[in-house]
Amino acid sequence: MANQTLGGEKLERTVRERIERGDSSFFVLVPMTPPHDESGWAGGFVAYEGMSGDEARAWFEQDGEHRRAQMEEARSLAERRLARMVQAIEEAGARAEGAVCDADPLDAVKKRLAESSYTEVIVSTLPERLSRWLKMDLPSRVARASSAPVTTIEADRTADV
């Protein structure tokens, strides 16, 4: 699972390492991040503990057209990042597919884990000082929801984002 860090050096290195050890398929899950929230910008949407996907959607819809435009921009950006990552994985010799999902990363991962089983979950985040996912302790929360081990990749702000 990643969004803003998709395509980052640390994540790509981790994926290559998994391919070299024999992992041959990946599912990339990309939660939508509102564009004004990118790279830890101030204001806007902040997922909080216990927030459901429905609550996140309601937040997006509160300002009507403006929120819908932001949601479409977030989806478009996430889809482009997903396409680039799937292509990079396939070029490295593994199978890849993925999906763009609601903004709530924990809800998205729980839904995915209910549909399929995985040998590992990789969560790629912004650096700690910028990462809302780390502030909400997402890796630990994903680990509690998964029977697979969870690996956290923290991007290097200067090189990966």
Side-chain angles (χ1 to χ4, degrees):
M1 174 178 349
N3 185 332
Q4 295 179 65
T5 59
L6 279 175
E9 181 181 325
K10 287 183 180 180
L11 179 58
E12 287 188 0
R13 183 174 49 240
T14 300
V15 168
R16 282 191 308 272
E17 288 169 1
R18 299 312 186 266
I19 293 169
E20 288 170 5
R21 76 176 189 198
D23 293 348
S24 61
S25 66
F26 295 82
F27 190 91
V28 182
L29 190 59
V30 186
M32 291 185 295
T33 301
H36 62 275
D37 235 20
E38 291 279 332
S39 300
W41 292 349
F45 175 79
V46 178
Y48 57 86
E49 187 168 345
M51 179 180 236
S52 71
D54 289 338
E55 289 171 317
R57 279 188 295 282
W59 182 89
F60 274 114
E61 294 168 359
Q62 73 186 5
D63 283 342
E65 281 303 312
H66 178 67
R67 293 285 182 228
R68 278 189 281 287
Q70 286 182 323
M71 192 173 196
E72 286 304 312
E73 186 177 349
R75 176 170 294 285
S76 177
L77 186 55
E79 287 172 348
R80 287 192 307 269
R81 288 174 174 156
L82 172 61
R84 284 192 303 264
M85 188 67 186
V86 165
Q87 181 180 0
I89 291 170
E90 290 174 343
E91 288 174 355
R95 290 185 318 273
E97 58 182 307
V100 170
C101 57
D102 288 335
D104 180 341
L106 184 60
D107 186 50
V109 123
K110 284 180 176 181
K111 286 177 183 175
R112 190 70 208 166
L113 290 170
E115 295 171 7
S116 297
S117 62
Y118 298 91
T119 57
E120 179 182 22
V121 177
I122 300 171
V123 178
S124 180
T125 73
L126 292 168
E128 185 174 5
R129 68 188 181 284
L130 299 174
S131 175
R132 288 192 171 92
W133 288 5
L134 292 176
K135 285 179 179 63
M136 65 184 276
D137 196 23
L138 181 65
S140 295
R141 294 170 75 196
V142 168
R144 287 190 296 273
S146 174
S147 60
V150 176
T151 301
T152 303
I153 308 295
E154 189 176 327
D156 176 358
R157 175 69 175 139
T158 58
D160 287 356
V161 183

